Amino acid sequence: MRYLDEYRDPDLARTLLAELRRVTTRPWALMEVCGGQTHTLVRQGIDELLPGGIRMIHGPGCPVCVTPLEVLDRAMAIAQRPGVILTSFGDMLRVPGSHTDLLALRARGADVRVVYSPMDAVTLAKAYPDRQVVFLAVGFETTAPANAMAVRHAATLGLTNFSVLVSHVLVPPAMTAVLRAPTCQVQGFLAAGHVCAVMGWTEYEPIAAEFRVPIVVTGFEPLDLLEGILMAVRQLESGEHRVQNQYARAVRRDGNTAAQDAVRSVFRITDRAWRGIGAIPDSGLTLTDEYAAFDAGRRFDVGRIVVREHPECVAGDILTGDKVPTDCRAYGTACTPRTPLGAPMVSAEGTCAAYYSAGRRRPPDPEGQP
């Protein structure tokens, strides 16, 4: 398959692994930021093929996983209002809230619909002028431009029955938070190529300089990841700490400036809570005052939200790389894709889902507990 097989060539993979073994002289710990990268690493078994001493730490780059419980509970409260059509991407419907999920609410009669674009939600609002259409807008810098364009389009159409429940998060502040954590073991990053396709990589240069870590913008295919790991290890072995771009076929230094302009025209930066991690300063987006009328959080007063995380779920430790899914006692037993306790087991980019689909098993408990 052209444009795909080239990045999965087993002979080239063996060559890159041999070069990694040649240049590696000591243990290193790298974090792949994106959940899509985690899935490739785990599905292809790349993390188990790396030279001894190179360890991959799975990062917080799953948009569904980091959407705060409070936002999910608020979306469910809005969905149960009469006359509301709650829309979102399919992954969000099975993410557990404090008491239920959006799919269960739909089964009970709430009008919850899957859309493939925020523009689909605008189209619904135009088609149902007597209903309130709300789009649950989650994700990183990758989805923010499309959501910004949807809000601008709704404003141009003069729609008063369309709004967005915004929960956008930004990658660089999260990387900084990871590096500042007292337990941090990360010595280098593989940055998410699709985020950099939008934002470029200039935001990462101050991080690389301040924390003296190499950051390699990396794609999502097996050879992308192996080459990104090799580039990061070469820097570490030589004492360098700069930003490099492995994903040159898709990423430019300044990114997509038109998309950035669209985001800046609708959103402003704000503090944001991350599920399982907590609040990170300046790590999110919210609507500007000009577009505040499209803020579902303001339009629907659902009162005070009291959240309740499942006591067995360790999603926060997994999202920060402190644990892997097989460290969790509920993994593969109480928590499976059919019975998820947390978002990482639900999302297509979740680390727990990646481990489960790859058949990774939890090691036997030394005390004989199941």
Side-chain angles (χ1 to χ4, degrees):
M1 187 182 296
R2 197 176 178 196
Y3 303 129
L4 199 56
D5 289 344
E6 296 93 323
Y7 304 104
R8 300 179 178 180
D9 186 311
D11 291 334
L12 287 175
R14 281 190 280 271
T15 300
L16 289 169
L17 283 167
E19 179 63 9
L20 259 175
R21 294 188 191 98
R22 189 187 71 79
V23 304
T24 304
T25 65
R26 71 195 88 171
W28 300 111
L30 305 175
M31 173 176 276
E32 84 277 4
V33 173
C34 177
Q37 295 172 329
T38 301
H39 271 256
T40 300
L41 287 170
V42 174
R43 186 174 61 247
Q44 303 291 338
I46 293 172
D47 54 332
E48 296 178 330
L49 293 173
L50 296 175
I54 296 181
R55 182 164 63 97
M56 299 306 300
I57 299 174
H58 311 310
C62 166
V64 174
C65 302
V66 300
T67 299
L69 196 54
E70 189 270 346
V71 172
L72 281 167
D73 288 350
R74 189 171 296 278
M76 292 179 211
I78 293 172
Q80 295 176 80
R81 291 291 182 88
V84 167
I85 302 173
L86 193 289
T87 63
S88 191
F89 298 132
D91 272 8
M92 296 304 301
L93 268 60
R94 294 194 61 239
V95 179
S98 294
H99 307 287
T100 184
D101 57 50
L102 286 167
L103 196 62
L105 281 185
R106 186 166 76 176
R108 295 175 204 155
D111 197 345
V112 177
R113 305 190 190 189
V114 174
V115 292
Y116 297 97
S117 159
M119 284 295 186
D120 293 344
V122 176
T123 301
L124 271 176
K126 192 176 176 184
Y128 295 92
D130 297 331
R131 307 278 300 276
Q132 286 288 329
V133 177
V134 179
F135 179 67
L136 178 53
V138 306
F140 291 90
E141 293 91 332
T142 47
T143 53
N147 291 336
M149 293 303 296
V151 171
R152 282 170 45 171
H153 187 54
T156 301
L157 294 175
L159 296 178
T160 58
N161 65 327
F162 173 78
S163 58
V164 288
L165 188 60
V166 180
S167 187
H168 279 302
V169 287
L170 305 173
V171 169
M175 292 168 64
T176 302
V178 166
L179 289 167
R180 286 182 175 155
T183 57
C184 177
Q185 301 178 45
V186 176
Q187 295 167 293
F189 284 102
L190 304 186
H194 53 359
V195 171
C196 296
V198 176
M199 301 303 295
W201 69 77
T202 56
E203 296 177 299
Y204 300 103
E205 290 172 332
I207 299 173
E210 178 180 353
F211 295 96
R212 303 178 66 81
V213 293
I215 300 174
V216 180
V217 180
T218 310
F220 302 88
E221 292 299 322
L223 294 187
D224 289 328
L225 291 161
L226 281 170
E227 187 174 27
I229 293 167
L230 176 59
M231 293 165 76
V233 169
R234 278 178 171 156
Q235 284 201 54
L236 287 165
E237 290 282 346
S238 61
E240 296 180 82
H241 44 82
R242 57 192 172 91
V243 181
Q244 285 183 289
N245 182 22
Q246 182 278 331
Y247 204 32
R249 65 183 184 277
V251 175
R252 296 177 300 175
R253 174 181 169 79
D254 295 325
N256 184 332
T257 55
Q260 294 166 28
D261 290 342
V263 171
R264 279 192 290 266
S265 71
V266 173
F267 298 114
R268 62 178 173 81
I269 292 175
T270 186
D271 298 344
R272 179 69 69 189
W274 296 52
R275 187 172 188 178
I277 298 175
I280 302 177
D282 297 330
S283 69
L285 299 174
T286 192
L287 290 163
T288 63
D289 291 343
E290 181 180 357
Y291 292 98
F294 294 94
D295 186 344
R298 296 189 185 194
R299 185 171 297 185
F300 299 93
D301 180 6
V302 296
R304 182 167 173 262
I305 300 288
V306 179
V307 302
R308 188 188 66 177
E309 289 281 5
H310 195 287
E312 288 188 70
C313 185
V314 297
D317 293 333
I318 291 169
L319 288 167
T320 53
D322 289 338
K323 290 183 178 179
V324 296
T326 47
D327 293 333
C328 175
R329 294 180 65 85
Y331 170 79
T333 54
C335 184
T336 70
R338 283 182 175 272
T339 58
L341 300 185
M345 187 58 92
V346 178
S347 169
E349 296 187 28
T351 303
C352 298
Y355 270 57
Y356 194 90
S357 64
R360 302 274 173 101
R361 295 284 182 264
R362 191 160 56 90
D365 191 309
E367 298 179 358
Q369 297 297 317

